[in-house]
Amino acid sequence: MRPDRETGRSKAISTVPIYLSIYSPNVVNLTLIDLPGLTKVAVDGQPESTVQDIDNMVRSYIEKPNSIILAISPANQDLATSDAIKISREVDPKGERTFGVLTKIDLMDKGTDAVDILEGRAYKLQFPWIGVVNRSQQDINKNVDMIAARRREREYFAQTPEYKHFAHRMGSEHLGKVLSKHLETVIKSRIPGLQSLINKTIIELESELSRLGKPIATDAGGKLYMIMEICRVFDGIFKEHLDGVRPGGDKVYNVFDNQLPAALKRLQFDKHLAMENVRKLITEADGYQPHLIAPEQGYRRLIETALITIKGPAEAAVDAVHGILKELVHKSISETLELKQYPFSQSGGWECSC
């Protein structure tokens, strides 16, 4: 990481990653994230927050439950002071995704070795420690390629008496294979959960697509056809309600069969059409005159009086039927699937004028 990549020429640390892709038939399928080493003191030119910034950056990656932690520690330093082991133990106390990597084994003081660490006696991890021997700065300056460096690494572990009995599980190549295999195992264990999440998402999306309905036409002819088709479906559902195929239409018949006749019976028409009352109305309308046919004015008076009398129950019946029809319209709209993609039709954003 170049500290000045996003921060000018200061020595502050940027969280913006630098991506490097390597394609080769000779490398395993891995994504490696090279994090900056933890520091305890900000050097000259760095803000005081640098120490905490680096710690936060490292944690943001290794706290993810799907990440694999490479706790890299130099063999020529006391393992008890290893920041990598300390922070990995905090975020992965069971060691289920932590791999210990020991570097600079070839730089240890003569007479000392890393056998206790590599065999897990000094600090035991769930997965075996892996030792690596990297290129030195002098090798880099001399352009020693990675193929030669890996060959020298294999030779070092195979020819060093202390390490040759477990040389088969040492080195960068073995580390890459172990990580690739572990990643494969982790992916397999996550597949059922991913499948469940995918299936749930598919169901939610299909439900949303069903609610949204078919694509809306853009041309005038297509829109007109779509409107007519929706009206046809709505009309069929509304008719089914009226005909009794769907519930609700029986309320209309109840108004005319029960409510209106009961109201008319309470009007006492027998008294209104009593002989004396009829005689009185005809006499007042036409006087005492002989007629060859029924007097027109008298009949008109009788009919008008009767109509005025039944006006109240008739209007009440009309209002009741109107309310039922509005209710059926709302029901028909909610049952018309083609209208579900138009939320305004479901939220009362219109007024029935039937």
Side-chain angles (χ1 to χ4, degrees):
M1 169 181 288
R2 287 180 55 192
D4 63 350
R5 182 176 188 269
E6 291 289 327
T7 57
R9 295 195 174 277
S10 68
K11 295 183 180 180
I13 299 299
S14 170
T15 58
V16 179
I18 300 173
Y19 293 94
L20 174 62
S21 298
I22 300 175
Y23 301 92
S24 170
N26 302 318
V27 297
V28 293
N29 186 18
L30 283 175
T31 298
L32 297 176
I33 302 174
D34 183 19
L35 296 170
L38 297 173
T39 61
K40 294 182 174 60
V41 179
V43 300
D44 291 341
Q46 287 184 330
E48 292 297 325
S49 63
T50 297
V51 175
Q52 189 61 46
D53 291 342
I54 294 177
D55 185 273
N56 293 339
M57 183 195 308
V58 172
R59 289 178 183 274
S60 68
Y61 284 96
I62 67 175
E63 286 178 346
K64 297 176 181 177
N66 290 336
S67 65
I68 301 173
I69 303 172
L70 287 185
I72 301 175
S73 303
N76 57 355
Q77 295 181 13
D78 188 357
L79 192 64
T81 63
S82 172
D83 293 323
I85 293 296
K86 176 178 178 296
I87 195 171
S88 63
R89 183 189 294 176
E90 292 175 6
V91 300
D92 181 32
K94 295 182 179 180
E96 296 175 342
R97 52 191 182 88
T98 300
F99 286 82
V101 180
L102 205 63
T103 63
K104 301 182 179 179
I105 297 177
D106 55 327
L107 301 180
M108 296 182 70
D109 292 339
K110 291 183 178 181
T112 62
D113 58 61
V115 173
D116 286 347
I117 298 175
L118 294 175
E119 290 187 343
R121 291 192 294 270
Y123 184 81
K124 186 173 180 60
L125 291 173
Q126 182 170 329
F127 303 101
W129 281 82
I130 299 176
V132 297
V133 175
N134 295 320
R135 292 183 299 174
S136 64
Q137 186 60 50
Q138 185 178 12
D139 292 334
I140 297 174
N141 294 338
K142 291 181 178 181
N143 295 322
V144 176
D145 60 39
M146 295 302 298
I147 297 177
R150 295 287 79 84
R151 184 178 64 252
R152 287 169 53 181
E153 182 184 43
R154 288 193 299 270
E155 292 173 352
Y156 174 82
F157 286 110
Q159 295 174 5
T160 303
E162 293 83 0
Y163 307 128
K164 63 180 181 180
H165 63 287
F166 51 64
H168 61 282
R169 62 178 182 85
M170 294 290 120
S172 302
E173 291 183 59
H174 177 72
L175 174 61
K177 292 177 181 178
V178 168
L179 293 178
S180 182
K181 186 65 177 179
H182 182 73
L183 181 61
E184 179 183 337
T185 303
V186 171
I187 292 174
K188 286 182 179 179
S189 67
R190 298 289 191 274
I191 286 177
L194 291 175
Q195 287 178 329
S196 176
L197 178 61
I198 290 172
N199 291 334
K200 179 182 177 182
T201 305
I202 289 174
I203 293 173
E204 292 175 351
L205 290 176
E206 288 179 344
S207 176
E208 180 70 8
L209 286 174
S210 176
R211 187 187 69 80
L212 293 175
K214 299 177 181 179
I216 299 175
T218 56
D219 59 292
K223 290 180 180 178
L224 179 60
Y225 174 80
M226 179 182 65
I227 292 172
M228 296 300 294
E229 185 67 16
I230 292 175
C231 289
R232 183 189 65 78
V233 175
F234 167 80
D235 178 69
I237 294 175
F238 185 66
K239 185 175 183 299
E240 288 180 357
H241 278 292
L242 292 178
D243 292 343
V245 179
R246 296 172 186 254
D250 56 312
K251 295 181 181 179
V252 177
Y253 296 102
N254 181 63
V255 171
F256 291 109
D257 289 346
N258 297 301
Q259 179 179 325
L260 182 58
L264 293 178
K265 287 180 180 179
R266 291 194 295 268
L267 295 178
Q268 299 179 347
F269 268 101
D270 292 343
K271 180 179 180 181
H272 177 68
L273 297 176
M275 185 59 69
E276 289 191 11
N277 190 48
V278 172
R279 185 183 296 114
K280 179 182 177 182
L281 287 174
I282 292 175
T283 301
E284 290 177 352
D286 295 283
Y288 293 98
Q289 303 177 24
H291 297 282
L292 296 176
I293 59 175
E296 180 182 350
Q297 292 298 326
Y299 275 121
R300 284 183 177 274
R301 185 70 58 83
L302 280 172
I303 294 172
E304 288 174 357
T305 304
L307 290 176
I308 292 172
T309 303
I310 67 173
K311 180 180 179 181
E315 288 182 344
V318 170
D319 290 340
V321 172
H322 181 245
I324 295 170
L325 292 177
K326 287 179 66 175
E327 179 184 343
L328 294 181
V329 168
H330 282 284
K331 281 186 177 181
S332 300
I333 288 174
S334 65
E335 295 168 3
T336 303
L337 298 178
E338 287 78 1
L339 282 173
K340 290 187 179 296
Q341 66 185 107
Y342 306 103
F344 74 91
S345 67
Q346 309 294 326
S347 60
W350 61 282
E351 180 62 32
C352 175
S353 58
C354 51

